[in-house]
Amino acid sequence: MTAQLIDGKAFAATVRASVAEHVARLKSDHGITPGLAVVLVGEDPASQVYVRSKGKQTLEVGMKSVEHKLDAETSEADLLRLIDQLNNDDSIHGILVQLPLPKHLNEDLVINAIHPSKDVDGFHISNVGLLGTGQKSMVPCTPLGCLMMLRDYHGSLSGMDAVVIGRSNIVGKPMAQLLLNDSCTVTIAHSRTRDLADVVRRADIVVAAVGRPQMVPGDWIKPGATVIDVGINRIDKPEGGTRLVGDVDFESCAAVAGAITPVPGGVGPMTIACLLANTVTACCRANGLEEPQGLTA
Ligand code: NDP
């Protein structure tokens, strides 16, 4: 391996420490405790793990954590009523509805019912519009985490060629927008992109958010490029059991890249750290206080 490892786990610990410092100051100087409410509908096992982890980390940085676990059969009206209650609760500064929702619930409707100022996932249509026009918004956590790591490694990203593979609303599109806002020349690739290898080879920065295990091989990577692997895929091990891999083939990419994030231990830990960062930012904005530096885009 020649690439420098971008250690998301260690970076996330520094983000959490900075959040904890701000939370302590909000409490001591203003008597305010930032609060995050997480709503889980149904019993999807992966979602349950995420929600547990979010709750634990929220408490660890000194914030208030509220969990609402609703039955899989919960009606849209009941869910919207809960969101309305949380929108009007001054002790709650961030609201996150864990996705995916059961099929009978309209995700767009539910997400857009969250007040944009409390939308710590950054998925509300107002926040998407604000980000798209370069205005202050709540920024989706996973792309925000990627951006923080890229800025930390490179300093300025201005003028760099970036390729984002994937165009989902939660990762690919906001990632591309953030890179554009940082003055990269951005290409968004997707399943219909012709000659993906050729497109990726032009990139100084590659962000892979596809959901296909080890899809990007090392010979697609420009020597010295920075590779951010968002993918989380569970594959079978030859000797039995399973392991997590990303969307890039780590071994071959690390042999060519200048820097690379591992899976696990790269983007994943940064996502929850950025959720905490967004909550403290939302709390400062709600109270008309100066927001923390370095914790948002
Ligand atoms: P989606 O399935 O919503 O989007 C995948 C994107 O990849 C689509 O835009 C799709 O293109 C594109 N794609 C699929 N196949 C190809 C291909 N062969 N070549 C090029 N592009 C392709 O996934 P998400 O964005 O939600 O997630 C992507 C990955 O990131 C997943 O592994 C997910 O688990 C992981 N993830 C990790 C997080 C973290 O915290 N680390 C958080 C969120 C996601 P098209 O639009 O044309 O179909």
Side-chain angles (χ1 to χ4, degrees):
M1 169 168 164
T2 57
Q4 182 173 323
L5 199 70
I6 300 179
D7 185 344
K9 199 172 164 200
F11 197 111
T14 68
V15 172
R16 284 196 304 273
S18 170
V19 169
E21 222 174 86
H22 285 285
V23 171
R25 211 168 308 139
L26 280 167
K27 284 182 182 173
S28 64
D29 296 359
H30 305 282
I32 300 168
T33 302
L36 172 64
V38 177
V39 180
L40 173 64
V41 186
E43 269 144 33
D44 177 65
S47 294
Q48 286 179 326
V49 172
Y50 288 135
V51 166
R52 233 186 342 264
S53 182
K54 284 167 185 171
K56 182 169 166 274
Q57 293 192 33
T58 303
L59 291 173
E60 278 168 3
V61 294
M63 298 201 284
K64 169 177 162 170
S65 166
V66 178
E67 281 177 28
H68 291 272
K69 292 185 179 159
L70 306 182
D71 194 87
E73 311 302 322
T74 300
S75 70
E76 204 161 79
D78 283 347
L79 179 55
L80 293 175
R81 208 167 299 124
L82 171 61
I83 291 173
D84 189 50
Q85 253 172 44
L86 295 170
N87 281 339
N88 290 301
D89 183 340
D90 289 343
S91 74
I92 296 297
H93 305 94
I95 304 169
L96 180 150
V97 176
Q98 185 67 42
L99 302 179
L101 288 172
K103 292 277 173 283
H104 67 285
L105 299 170
N106 178 335
E107 268 182 18
D108 287 337
L109 189 78
V110 169
I111 295 305
N112 289 323
I114 299 171
H115 194 282
S117 64
K118 296 191 179 189
D119 167 41
V120 281
D121 249 344
F123 298 158
H124 190 288
I125 192 71
S126 298
N127 282 316
V128 176
L130 290 167
L131 179 64
T133 49
Q135 299 179 69
K136 196 184 266 191
S137 65
M138 295 310 300
V139 178
C141 305
T142 301
L144 178 58
C146 297
L147 182 76
M148 282 185 186
M149 289 192 287
L150 283 167
R151 282 181 176 168
D152 183 64
Y153 182 72
H154 284 287
S156 169
L157 307 180
S158 180
M160 296 179 85
D161 281 317
V163 170
V164 179
I165 318 175
R167 56 174 164 180
S168 72
N169 289 337
I170 65 167
V171 189
K173 280 185 206 152
M175 185 73 247
Q177 192 63 60
L178 287 169
L179 291 166
L180 186 61
N181 291 354
D182 265 28
S183 299
C184 289
T185 302
V186 184
T187 303
I188 307 177
H190 46 77
S191 66
R192 309 293 170 88
T193 297
R194 264 187 249 136
D195 202 350
L196 183 59
D198 191 49
V199 170
V200 174
R201 266 185 212 116
R202 284 183 247 140
D204 303 310
I205 294 170
V206 180
V207 180
V210 187
R212 291 181 176 253
Q214 301 167 309
M215 189 192 92
V216 178
D219 66 1
W220 289 12
I221 302 297
K222 175 164 138 182
T226 300
V227 178
I228 305 290
D229 192 351
V230 181
I232 302 178
N233 310 286
R234 192 165 284 284
I235 61 165
D236 293 330
K237 288 197 281 193
E239 67 272 27
T242 61
R243 69 183 177 110
L244 289 183
V245 296
D247 289 341
V248 311
D249 177 49
F250 185 82
E251 295 303 326
S252 62
C253 288
V256 189
I260 189 166
T261 58
V263 176
V267 176
M270 285 299 288
T271 296
I272 300 188
C274 286
L275 171 67
L276 305 176
N278 276 349
T279 306
V280 88
T281 298
C283 177
C284 291
R285 287 179 187 170
N287 288 284
L289 299 169
E290 200 185 328
E291 56 191 74
Q293 294 297 303
L295 291 184
T296 187

PDB file of all heavy atoms in Angstrom, residues 142 165-168 170-171 190-192 196 209-212 215 230-233 247 267-268 271, ligand 1:
ATOM      1  N   THR A 142     -23.531  12.292   5.761  1.00  0.00           N
ATOM      2  CA  THR A 142     -22.477  11.490   5.118  1.00  0.00           C
ATOM      3  C   THR A 142     -21.620  12.349   4.188  1.00  0.00           C
ATOM      4  O   THR A 142     -20.377  12.340   4.307  1.00  0.00           O
ATOM      5  CB  THR A 142     -23.093  10.282   4.384  1.00  0.00           C
ATOM      6  OG1 THR A 142     -23.797   9.493   5.343  1.00  0.00           O
ATOM      7  CG2 THR A 142     -22.032   9.433   3.715  1.00  0.00           C
ATOM      8  N   ILE A 165     -19.323   8.960  -7.818  1.00  0.00           N
ATOM      9  CA  ILE A 165     -20.034   7.846  -8.460  1.00  0.00           C
ATOM     10  C   ILE A 165     -21.273   7.561  -7.617  1.00  0.00           C
ATOM     11  O   ILE A 165     -21.162   7.152  -6.463  1.00  0.00           O
ATOM     12  CB  ILE A 165     -19.166   6.570  -8.573  1.00  0.00           C
ATOM     13  CG1 ILE A 165     -17.734   6.902  -8.995  1.00  0.00           C
ATOM     14  CG2 ILE A 165     -19.795   5.595  -9.582  1.00  0.00           C
ATOM     15  CD1 ILE A 165     -16.801   5.697  -9.014  1.00  0.00           C
ATOM     16  N   GLY A 166     -22.436   7.797  -8.190  1.00  0.00           N
ATOM     17  CA  GLY A 166     -23.709   7.665  -7.464  1.00  0.00           C
ATOM     18  C   GLY A 166     -24.415   9.009  -7.438  1.00  0.00           C
ATOM     19  O   GLY A 166     -23.775  10.047  -7.249  1.00  0.00           O
ATOM     20  N   ARG A 167     -25.733   8.971  -7.641  1.00  0.00           N
ATOM     21  CA  ARG A 167     -26.504  10.230  -7.694  1.00  0.00           C
ATOM     22  C   ARG A 167     -27.725  10.174  -6.776  1.00  0.00           C
ATOM     23  O   ARG A 167     -28.786  10.714  -7.100  1.00  0.00           O
ATOM     24  CB  ARG A 167     -26.937  10.526  -9.125  1.00  0.00           C
ATOM     25  CG  ARG A 167     -27.727   9.399  -9.770  1.00  0.00           C
ATOM     26  CD  ARG A 167     -28.257   9.790 -11.136  1.00  0.00           C
ATOM     27  NE  ARG A 167     -28.679   8.615 -11.883  1.00  0.00           N
ATOM     28  CZ  ARG A 167     -29.190   8.655 -13.100  1.00  0.00           C
ATOM     29  NH1 ARG A 167     -29.334   9.791 -13.717  1.00  0.00           N
ATOM     30  NH2 ARG A 167     -29.552   7.538 -13.706  1.00  0.00           N
ATOM     31  N   SER A 168     -27.583   9.492  -5.627  1.00  0.00           N
ATOM     32  CA  SER A 168     -28.720   9.442  -4.695  1.00  0.00           C
ATOM     33  C   SER A 168     -28.898  10.805  -4.034  1.00  0.00           C
ATOM     34  O   SER A 168     -27.976  11.624  -3.974  1.00  0.00           O
ATOM     35  CB  SER A 168     -28.489   8.376  -3.619  1.00  0.00           C
ATOM     36  OG  SER A 168     -27.489   8.796  -2.718  1.00  0.00           O
ATOM     37  N   ILE A 170     -29.329  11.224  -0.908  1.00  0.00           N
ATOM     38  CA  ILE A 170     -28.722  11.310   0.422  1.00  0.00           C
ATOM     39  C   ILE A 170     -27.191  11.367   0.383  1.00  0.00           C
ATOM     40  O   ILE A 170     -26.578  11.868   1.314  1.00  0.00           O
ATOM     41  CB  ILE A 170     -29.215  10.182   1.366  1.00  0.00           C
ATOM     42  CG1 ILE A 170     -28.775   8.811   0.882  1.00  0.00           C
ATOM     43  CG2 ILE A 170     -30.715  10.202   1.546  1.00  0.00           C
ATOM     44  CD1 ILE A 170     -28.971   7.753   1.954  1.00  0.00           C
ATOM     45  N   VAL A 171     -26.587  10.869  -0.683  1.00  0.00           N
ATOM     46  CA  VAL A 171     -25.123  10.925  -0.740  1.00  0.00           C
ATOM     47  C   VAL A 171     -24.622  11.621  -2.022  1.00  0.00           C
ATOM     48  O   VAL A 171     -24.011  12.688  -1.966  1.00  0.00           O
ATOM     49  CB  VAL A 171     -24.461   9.523  -0.629  1.00  0.00           C
ATOM     50  CG1 VAL A 171     -22.945   9.678  -0.464  1.00  0.00           C
ATOM     51  CG2 VAL A 171     -25.015   8.693   0.508  1.00  0.00           C
ATOM     52  N   HIS A 190     -23.100   7.639 -12.816  1.00  0.00           N
ATOM     53  CA  HIS A 190     -24.208   6.788 -12.348  1.00  0.00           C
ATOM     54  C   HIS A 190     -24.294   5.552 -13.226  1.00  0.00           C
ATOM     55  O   HIS A 190     -23.378   5.303 -14.031  1.00  0.00           O
ATOM     56  CB  HIS A 190     -25.514   7.594 -12.344  1.00  0.00           C
ATOM     57  CG  HIS A 190     -25.712   8.385 -13.587  1.00  0.00           C
ATOM     58  ND1 HIS A 190     -26.121   7.807 -14.765  1.00  0.00           N
ATOM     59  CD2 HIS A 190     -25.486   9.693 -13.845  1.00  0.00           C
ATOM     60  CE1 HIS A 190     -26.164   8.732 -15.695  1.00  0.00           C
ATOM     61  NE2 HIS A 190     -25.778   9.895 -15.169  1.00  0.00           N
ATOM     62  N   SER A 191     -25.376   4.806 -13.070  1.00  0.00           N
ATOM     63  CA  SER A 191     -25.429   3.500 -13.742  1.00  0.00           C
ATOM     64  C   SER A 191     -25.484   3.621 -15.270  1.00  0.00           C
ATOM     65  O   SER A 191     -25.207   2.657 -15.974  1.00  0.00           O
ATOM     66  CB  SER A 191     -26.636   2.697 -13.242  1.00  0.00           C
ATOM     67  OG  SER A 191     -27.832   3.327 -13.638  1.00  0.00           O
ATOM     68  N   ARG A 192     -25.826   4.787 -15.775  1.00  0.00           N
ATOM     69  CA  ARG A 192     -25.876   4.957 -17.242  1.00  0.00           C
ATOM     70  C   ARG A 192     -24.624   5.625 -17.801  1.00  0.00           C
ATOM     71  O   ARG A 192     -24.560   5.906 -18.997  1.00  0.00           O
ATOM     72  CB  ARG A 192     -27.101   5.793 -17.646  1.00  0.00           C
ATOM     73  CG  ARG A 192     -28.418   5.321 -17.073  1.00  0.00           C
ATOM     74  CD  ARG A 192     -28.802   3.959 -17.666  1.00  0.00           C
ATOM     75  NE  ARG A 192     -29.937   3.421 -16.943  1.00  0.00           N
ATOM     76  CZ  ARG A 192     -31.212   3.671 -17.251  1.00  0.00           C
ATOM     77  NH1 ARG A 192     -31.512   4.426 -18.268  1.00  0.00           N
ATOM     78  NH2 ARG A 192     -32.187   3.137 -16.535  1.00  0.00           N
ATOM     79  N   LEU A 196     -17.165   4.371 -17.519  1.00  0.00           N
ATOM     80  CA  LEU A 196     -16.946   4.863 -16.150  1.00  0.00           C
ATOM     81  C   LEU A 196     -15.452   4.886 -15.803  1.00  0.00           C
ATOM     82  O   LEU A 196     -14.962   5.824 -15.170  1.00  0.00           O
ATOM     83  CB  LEU A 196     -17.725   3.979 -15.161  1.00  0.00           C
ATOM     84  CG  LEU A 196     -17.676   4.369 -13.697  1.00  0.00           C
ATOM     85  CD1 LEU A 196     -18.211   5.773 -13.460  1.00  0.00           C
ATOM     86  CD2 LEU A 196     -18.472   3.370 -12.846  1.00  0.00           C
ATOM     87  N   ALA A 209     -20.084   6.119  -4.091  1.00  0.00           N
ATOM     88  CA  ALA A 209     -21.313   5.906  -3.287  1.00  0.00           C
ATOM     89  C   ALA A 209     -22.305   5.156  -4.151  1.00  0.00           C
ATOM     90  O   ALA A 209     -23.263   5.708  -4.671  1.00  0.00           O
ATOM     91  CB  ALA A 209     -21.883   7.239  -2.827  1.00  0.00           C
ATOM     92  N   VAL A 210     -22.025   3.874  -4.318  1.00  0.00           N
ATOM     93  CA  VAL A 210     -22.741   3.061  -5.300  1.00  0.00           C
ATOM     94  C   VAL A 210     -23.557   1.941  -4.645  1.00  0.00           C
ATOM     95  O   VAL A 210     -24.693   1.672  -5.036  1.00  0.00           O
ATOM     96  CB  VAL A 210     -21.736   2.427  -6.303  1.00  0.00           C
ATOM     97  CG1 VAL A 210     -22.472   1.721  -7.432  1.00  0.00           C
ATOM     98  CG2 VAL A 210     -20.776   3.458  -6.863  1.00  0.00           C
ATOM     99  N   GLY A 211     -22.934   1.279  -3.659  1.00  0.00           N
ATOM    100  CA  GLY A 211     -23.598   0.121  -3.061  1.00  0.00           C
ATOM    101  C   GLY A 211     -23.287  -1.169  -3.797  1.00  0.00           C
ATOM    102  O   GLY A 211     -24.071  -2.107  -3.776  1.00  0.00           O
ATOM    103  N   ARG A 212     -22.121  -1.201  -4.472  1.00  0.00           N
ATOM    104  CA  ARG A 212     -21.676  -2.436  -5.147  1.00  0.00           C
ATOM    105  C   ARG A 212     -20.293  -2.795  -4.628  1.00  0.00           C
ATOM    106  O   ARG A 212     -19.330  -2.038  -4.839  1.00  0.00           O
ATOM    107  CB  ARG A 212     -21.607  -2.234  -6.663  1.00  0.00           C
ATOM    108  CG  ARG A 212     -22.971  -2.091  -7.248  1.00  0.00           C
ATOM    109  CD  ARG A 212     -22.925  -1.913  -8.740  1.00  0.00           C
ATOM    110  NE  ARG A 212     -24.278  -1.887  -9.222  1.00  0.00           N
ATOM    111  CZ  ARG A 212     -24.855  -2.866  -9.901  1.00  0.00           C
ATOM    112  NH1 ARG A 212     -24.154  -3.943 -10.229  1.00  0.00           N
ATOM    113  NH2 ARG A 212     -26.103  -2.780 -10.272  1.00  0.00           N
ATOM    114  N   MET A 215     -16.404  -2.407  -6.433  1.00  0.00           N
ATOM    115  CA  MET A 215     -16.652  -2.219  -7.860  1.00  0.00           C
ATOM    116  C   MET A 215     -15.532  -1.438  -8.573  1.00  0.00           C
ATOM    117  O   MET A 215     -15.276  -1.645  -9.756  1.00  0.00           O
ATOM    118  CB  MET A 215     -17.971  -1.459  -8.027  1.00  0.00           C
ATOM    119  CG  MET A 215     -18.443  -1.397  -9.444  1.00  0.00           C
ATOM    120  SD  MET A 215     -19.795  -0.221  -9.620  1.00  0.00           S
ATOM    121  CE  MET A 215     -18.916   1.256 -10.045  1.00  0.00           C
ATOM    122  N   VAL A 230     -17.599   5.516   0.259  1.00  0.00           N
ATOM    123  CA  VAL A 230     -18.804   5.633   1.089  1.00  0.00           C
ATOM    124  C   VAL A 230     -19.491   4.275   1.274  1.00  0.00           C
ATOM    125  O   VAL A 230     -20.202   4.054   2.252  1.00  0.00           O
ATOM    126  CB  VAL A 230     -19.797   6.653   0.460  1.00  0.00           C
ATOM    127  CG1 VAL A 230     -21.046   6.802   1.310  1.00  0.00           C
ATOM    128  CG2 VAL A 230     -19.132   8.014   0.270  1.00  0.00           C
ATOM    129  N   GLY A 231     -19.262   3.374   0.360  1.00  0.00           N
ATOM    130  CA  GLY A 231     -19.987   2.097   0.337  1.00  0.00           C
ATOM    131  C   GLY A 231     -19.839   1.284   1.616  1.00  0.00           C
ATOM    132  O   GLY A 231     -18.774   1.268   2.249  1.00  0.00           O
ATOM    133  N   ILE A 232     -20.934   0.645   1.995  1.00  0.00           N
ATOM    134  CA  ILE A 232     -20.891  -0.326   3.103  1.00  0.00           C
ATOM    135  C   ILE A 232     -21.592  -1.569   2.573  1.00  0.00           C
ATOM    136  O   ILE A 232     -22.803  -1.566   2.379  1.00  0.00           O
ATOM    137  CB  ILE A 232     -21.638   0.172   4.352  1.00  0.00           C
ATOM    138  CG1 ILE A 232     -21.067   1.508   4.847  1.00  0.00           C
ATOM    139  CG2 ILE A 232     -21.578  -0.868   5.467  1.00  0.00           C
ATOM    140  CD1 ILE A 232     -21.799   2.084   6.052  1.00  0.00           C
ATOM    141  N   ASN A 233     -20.822  -2.602   2.294  1.00  0.00           N
ATOM    142  CA  ASN A 233     -21.400  -3.830   1.730  1.00  0.00           C
ATOM    143  C   ASN A 233     -20.902  -5.017   2.537  1.00  0.00           C
ATOM    144  O   ASN A 233     -19.713  -5.095   2.869  1.00  0.00           O
ATOM    145  CB  ASN A 233     -20.934  -4.022   0.276  1.00  0.00           C
ATOM    146  CG  ASN A 233     -21.118  -2.771  -0.561  1.00  0.00           C
ATOM    147  OD1 ASN A 233     -22.230  -2.425  -0.926  1.00  0.00           O
ATOM    148  ND2 ASN A 233     -20.027  -2.068  -0.873  1.00  0.00           N
ATOM    149  N   ASP A 247     -17.138   0.254  -1.731  1.00  0.00           N
ATOM    150  CA  ASP A 247     -17.438   0.220  -3.161  1.00  0.00           C
ATOM    151  C   ASP A 247     -16.164   0.210  -3.999  1.00  0.00           C
ATOM    152  O   ASP A 247     -16.217   0.067  -5.218  1.00  0.00           O
ATOM    153  CB  ASP A 247     -18.280   1.443  -3.554  1.00  0.00           C
ATOM    154  CG  ASP A 247     -19.699   1.355  -3.023  1.00  0.00           C
ATOM    155  OD1 ASP A 247     -20.140   0.234  -2.677  1.00  0.00           O
ATOM    156  OD2 ASP A 247     -20.370   2.401  -2.949  1.00  0.00           O
ATOM    157  N   VAL A 267     -15.665   6.551   6.221  1.00  0.00           N
ATOM    158  CA  VAL A 267     -16.814   7.461   6.169  1.00  0.00           C
ATOM    159  C   VAL A 267     -17.849   7.140   7.258  1.00  0.00           C
ATOM    160  O   VAL A 267     -18.456   8.045   7.825  1.00  0.00           O
ATOM    161  CB  VAL A 267     -17.474   7.396   4.762  1.00  0.00           C
ATOM    162  CG1 VAL A 267     -18.728   8.255   4.712  1.00  0.00           C
ATOM    163  CG2 VAL A 267     -16.477   7.822   3.687  1.00  0.00           C
ATOM    164  N   GLY A 268     -18.038   5.856   7.546  1.00  0.00           N
ATOM    165  CA  GLY A 268     -19.079   5.428   8.491  1.00  0.00           C
ATOM    166  C   GLY A 268     -19.071   6.198   9.813  1.00  0.00           C
ATOM    167  O   GLY A 268     -20.067   6.829  10.171  1.00  0.00           O
ATOM    168  N   THR A 271     -20.219   9.832   9.746  1.00  0.00           N
ATOM    169  CA  THR A 271     -21.631  10.159   9.511  1.00  0.00           C
ATOM    170  C   THR A 271     -22.327  10.502  10.828  1.00  0.00           C
ATOM    171  O   THR A 271     -23.004  11.524  10.932  1.00  0.00           O
ATOM    172  CB  THR A 271     -22.328   8.981   8.786  1.00  0.00           C
ATOM    173  OG1 THR A 271     -21.709   8.851   7.507  1.00  0.00           O
ATOM    174  CG2 THR A 271     -23.808   9.230   8.600  1.00  0.00           C
TER     175      THR A 271
HETATM  176  P1  NDP B   1     -28.427   4.289  -3.816  1.00  0.00           P
HETATM  177  O1  NDP B   1     -28.729   2.879  -4.158  1.00  0.00           O
HETATM  178  O2  NDP B   1     -29.522   5.219  -3.472  1.00  0.00           O
HETATM  179  O3  NDP B   1     -27.630   4.939  -5.047  1.00  0.00           O
HETATM  180  C1  NDP B   1     -26.624   4.231  -5.712  1.00  0.00           C
HETATM  181  C2  NDP B   1     -26.127   5.029  -6.881  1.00  0.00           C
HETATM  182  O4  NDP B   1     -25.130   4.257  -7.531  1.00  0.00           O
HETATM  183  C3  NDP B   1     -27.210   5.326  -7.918  1.00  0.00           C
HETATM  184  O5  NDP B   1     -27.129   6.676  -8.315  1.00  0.00           O
HETATM  185  C4  NDP B   1     -26.864   4.394  -9.068  1.00  0.00           C
HETATM  186  O6  NDP B   1     -27.116   4.929 -10.357  1.00  0.00           O
HETATM  187  C5  NDP B   1     -25.364   4.238  -8.925  1.00  0.00           C
HETATM  188  N1  NDP B   1     -24.918   2.997  -9.516  1.00  0.00           N
HETATM  189  C6  NDP B   1     -25.434   1.752  -9.336  1.00  0.00           C
HETATM  190  N2  NDP B   1     -24.752   0.864 -10.069  1.00  0.00           N
HETATM  191  C7  NDP B   1     -23.794   1.557 -10.732  1.00  0.00           C
HETATM  192  C8  NDP B   1     -22.794   1.194 -11.658  1.00  0.00           C
HETATM  193  N3  NDP B   1     -22.617  -0.054 -12.046  1.00  0.00           N
HETATM  194  N4  NDP B   1     -21.999   2.160 -12.131  1.00  0.00           N
HETATM  195  C9  NDP B   1     -22.143   3.441 -11.736  1.00  0.00           C
HETATM  196  N5  NDP B   1     -23.082   3.839 -10.864  1.00  0.00           N
HETATM  197  C10 NDP B   1     -23.893   2.917 -10.371  1.00  0.00           C
HETATM  198  O7  NDP B   1     -27.324   4.235  -2.676  1.00  0.00           O
HETATM  199  P2  NDP B   1     -26.880   5.319  -1.572  1.00  0.00           P
HETATM  200  O8  NDP B   1     -26.386   6.537  -2.216  1.00  0.00           O
HETATM  201  O9  NDP B   1     -27.927   5.410  -0.530  1.00  0.00           O
HETATM  202  O10 NDP B   1     -25.663   4.531  -0.900  1.00  0.00           O
HETATM  203  C11 NDP B   1     -24.511   4.173  -1.630  1.00  0.00           C
HETATM  204  C12 NDP B   1     -23.594   3.332  -0.758  1.00  0.00           C
HETATM  205  O11 NDP B   1     -23.191   4.099   0.352  1.00  0.00           O
HETATM  206  C13 NDP B   1     -24.248   2.074  -0.168  1.00  0.00           C
HETATM  207  O12 NDP B   1     -23.250   1.072  -0.070  1.00  0.00           O
HETATM  208  C14 NDP B   1     -24.658   2.503   1.222  1.00  0.00           C
HETATM  209  O13 NDP B   1     -24.700   1.428   2.132  1.00  0.00           O
HETATM  210  C15 NDP B   1     -23.518   3.429   1.555  1.00  0.00           C
HETATM  211  N6  NDP B   1     -23.869   4.439   2.554  1.00  0.00           N
HETATM  212  C16 NDP B   1     -22.980   4.631   3.553  1.00  0.00           C
HETATM  213  C17 NDP B   1     -23.194   5.575   4.516  1.00  0.00           C
HETATM  214  C18 NDP B   1     -22.157   5.773   5.561  1.00  0.00           C
HETATM  215  O14 NDP B   1     -22.455   6.320   6.604  1.00  0.00           O
HETATM  216  N7  NDP B   1     -20.912   5.374   5.327  1.00  0.00           N
HETATM  217  C19 NDP B   1     -24.413   6.384   4.538  1.00  0.00           C
HETATM  218  C20 NDP B   1     -25.255   6.198   3.372  1.00  0.00           C
HETATM  219  C21 NDP B   1     -24.985   5.234   2.435  1.00  0.00           C
HETATM  220  P3  NDP B   1     -28.620   5.210 -10.910  1.00  0.00           P
HETATM  221  O15 NDP B   1     -29.054   6.460 -10.233  1.00  0.00           O
HETATM  222  O16 NDP B   1     -28.414   5.392 -12.371  1.00  0.00           O
HETATM  223  O17 NDP B   1     -29.431   4.020 -10.551  1.00  0.00           O
END
